[in-house]
Amino acid sequence: MAYPENLLYSKSHEWTKIEGEEAIIGITSFAQEQLGDITFVELPEVGDTLEVGDEMGSIESVKAASELYIPVSGEVIAINEDLEDAPEKVNESPFEGGWLIKVKLSEEPKGLLSASEYAELVANEAH
């Protein structure tokens, strides 16, 4: 599977799209496939300040519940409110309509993977 080249990826399967001083965050197509049909997404509040690796919510599916971890540090400036009524958007469009939160970055992102590095990580996990 190809992953969008314009995104950065965490080892816990979140993606980050950097747009100037802001970042949009979601979970990868691999993560949503592992979870199966998503039934509920819990997100932080707008105004919350989070550091890399902090829990930023949780996601539940018919198979499992999983914590979500923020791959960058910053203040939450928007959440995807569409997911309250339609959590399945994460399955249908993990890199577009199924985004989770938007943050104003407090520091440069570090330690994230490129698309090719992430694809290698996923390939190793799948074995």
Side-chain angles (χ1 to χ4, degrees), residues 1-7 9 13 15 28-31 33 95 114-120 122-123:
M1 155 160 300
Y3 294 95
E5 294 287 336
N6 62 329
L7 305 177
Y9 300 87
H13 308 293
W15 59 261
T28 66
S29 50
F30 176 80
E33 284 168 11
F95 296 113
S114 68
S116 59
E117 289 168 329
Y118 181 73
E120 195 174 308
V122 168

Side-chain angles (χ1 to χ4, degrees), residues 3 23-24 35 47 54 60 63 70 78 99-101 105 119 122 127:
Y3 294 95
I24 301 170
L35 285 164
D54 284 353
E60 294 177 18
K63 287 191 203 171
I70 194 162
W99 64 277
L100 301 174
I101 66 171
L105 295 168
V122 168
H127 292 297

Side-chain angles (χ1 to χ4, degrees), residues 63-89:
K63 287 191 203 171
S66 183
E67 280 74 40
L68 298 166
Y69 299 99
I70 194 162
V72 295
S73 296
E75 179 186 341
V76 179
I77 55 173
I79 62 168
N80 187 346
E81 294 179 2
D82 293 348
L83 300 181
E84 282 180 36
D85 296 324
E88 66 277 3
K89 283 188 181 215

Side-chain angles (χ1 to χ4, degrees), residues 19-32:
E19 295 182 336
E21 294 181 356
E22 296 177 4
I24 301 170
I25 299 165
I27 66 166
T28 66
S29 50
F30 176 80
Q32 66 82 20

Side-chain angles (χ1 to χ4, degrees), residues 39-125:
T39 55
F40 180 74
V41 180
E42 181 184 342
L43 297 172
E45 300 285 324
V46 170
D48 285 357
T49 302
L50 301 169
E51 299 291 323
V52 172
D54 284 353
E55 198 174 305
M56 65 173 189
S58 61
I59 194 161
E60 294 177 18
S61 71
V62 291
K63 287 191 203 171
S66 183
E67 280 74 40
L68 298 166
Y69 299 99
I70 194 162
V72 295
S73 296
E75 179 186 341
V76 179
I77 55 173
I79 62 168
N80 187 346
E81 294 179 2
D82 293 348
L83 300 181
E84 282 180 36
D85 296 324
E88 66 277 3
K89 283 188 181 215
V90 176
N91 293 120
E92 294 162 3
S93 180
F95 296 113
E96 300 286 333
W99 64 277
L100 301 174
I101 66 171
K102 196 179 279 193
V103 298
K104 182 170 177 41
L105 295 168
S106 59
E107 62 183 27
E108 284 292 308
K110 309 186 235 345
L112 297 175
L113 307 173
S114 68
S116 59
E117 289 168 329
Y118 181 73
E120 195 174 308
L121 172 87
V122 168
N124 291 334
E125 279 196 17

